[in-house]
Amino acid sequence: MKLISYRTNDGNMLGIVTERGVLDVAAAAQAAGIPRAITPDAVFRRGLPVLDRLRALVEASTDAALFLNEADLTCGPAVPNPGKILCVGLNYAKHAAESGAAPPDEPVLFSKFNNTIAAANEDIPLQADWRTVDYESELGVVMGATVRNVPVEDALDAVFGYCNMNDLSERDFQMKSGQWLLGKTLDKFLPLGPYVVTADEIPDPQNLSIKGWMNGELRQSSNTADMIFSVAEVIAYASRIMTLEPGDVISSGTPEGVIMGMDPRVWLQPGDEYVVEVEGLGRLVNRMVEA
Ligand code: ZN
């Protein structure tokens, strides 16, 4: 299934993209006599057990009025309120090289906060003193189950789905101290979406093309097969330290082609557009604007 969240006057609502259009899940649930609202937050907080109910809702929804035209919707963030936002640094060998770093022996984990969450097609305001802004096309992972000390071979069973992410970064702030946090958690610096595609439709997350375009020019072109630590390895590793829960998201690292690795470096400016496209997950388009 392909889930989308879209903005309404009542907040972010959940849609399911089907051949008949985007199912308005709240309206479909009401029509089916389900008393409680099914919001994106409710779905991602419950995780995998809710998928069968959503599938049943699609099956039961025969009234054409329950389906919306995707082109008429304004996307909300694909996961509006993640519990935790974990990121993996230097997870592609050629990106580590262009960053001047040795390939790490263990996953390099860092975090962003929820102020970074932004939607597909949403403008990203750049403050005047954010002068070294860079893009990072990434495969995003949405957790669907609670795991602690999960073995690598079971780790993908806990994944709800996948989405495009752009781990936007301000390099001067990132490198200011030993902590990357400042350069990573600026407002709206993690656009994600437009969809969360459920894991059953992505049987192998380590064989997906991953591409990024700046103003239409192909800048990043790789495959998730080139990750140093696989999605399963990252989940298993992180779960030795912390309990991972439904609604947590992981941005699994960027391949080479970021501005930081270029000479000269022409950083993202208001007016620039960046597009992330991981195979099967749609296109995440965002424009930088003046704050
Ligand atoms: Zn990144």
Side-chain angles (χ1 to χ4, degrees), residues 3-151:
L3 307 186
I4 188 168
S5 78
Y6 57 95
R7 298 191 198 275
T8 72
N9 291 336
D10 299 323
N12 288 305
M13 303 304 270
L14 185 73
I16 301 173
V17 181
T18 76
E19 286 169 0
R20 291 175 280 169
V22 176
L23 180 67
D24 175 342
V25 169
Q30 200 175 25
I34 297 169
R36 284 182 56 196
I38 304 179
T39 61
D41 285 348
V43 165
F44 293 118
R45 215 169 289 137
R46 279 202 62 202
L48 289 166
V50 88
L51 283 176
D52 281 345
R53 284 181 68 184
L54 292 180
R55 280 194 193 97
L57 206 53
V58 174
E59 295 277 307
S61 298
T62 48
D63 182 355
L66 296 173
F67 293 87
L68 308 169
N69 184 354
E70 188 178 342
D72 297 338
L73 303 177
T74 302
C75 285
V79 182
N81 287 297
K84 290 186 275 299
I85 304 172
L86 277 181
C87 305
V88 190
L90 309 172
N91 201 24
Y92 288 75
K94 287 180 194 158
H95 172 62
E98 75 179 348
S99 306
D105 296 325
E106 293 190 21
V108 177
L109 298 186
F110 63 94
S111 61
K112 298 174 93 128
F113 298 122
N114 282 16
N115 65 308
T116 59
I117 295 298
N121 307 317
E122 185 170 352
D123 288 344
I124 312 294
L126 300 186
Q127 206 168 284
D129 61 334
W130 301 352
R131 296 193 186 90
T132 57
V133 177
D134 207 344
Y135 49 76
E136 296 192 352
S137 305
E138 308 205 0
L139 169 66
V141 182
V142 183
M143 296 301 294
T146 300
V147 287
R148 175 90 170 109
N149 282 319
V150 66

Side-chain angles (χ1 to χ4, degrees), residues 161-181:
Y162 300 93
C163 61
N164 294 304
M165 288 185 171
N166 188 348
D167 174 22
L168 290 165
S169 307
E170 212 288 347
R171 300 300 187 192
D172 281 350
F173 295 158
Q174 182 183 347
M175 303 306 174
K176 229 177 227 223
S177 69
Q179 308 292 329
W180 292 356
L181 181 73

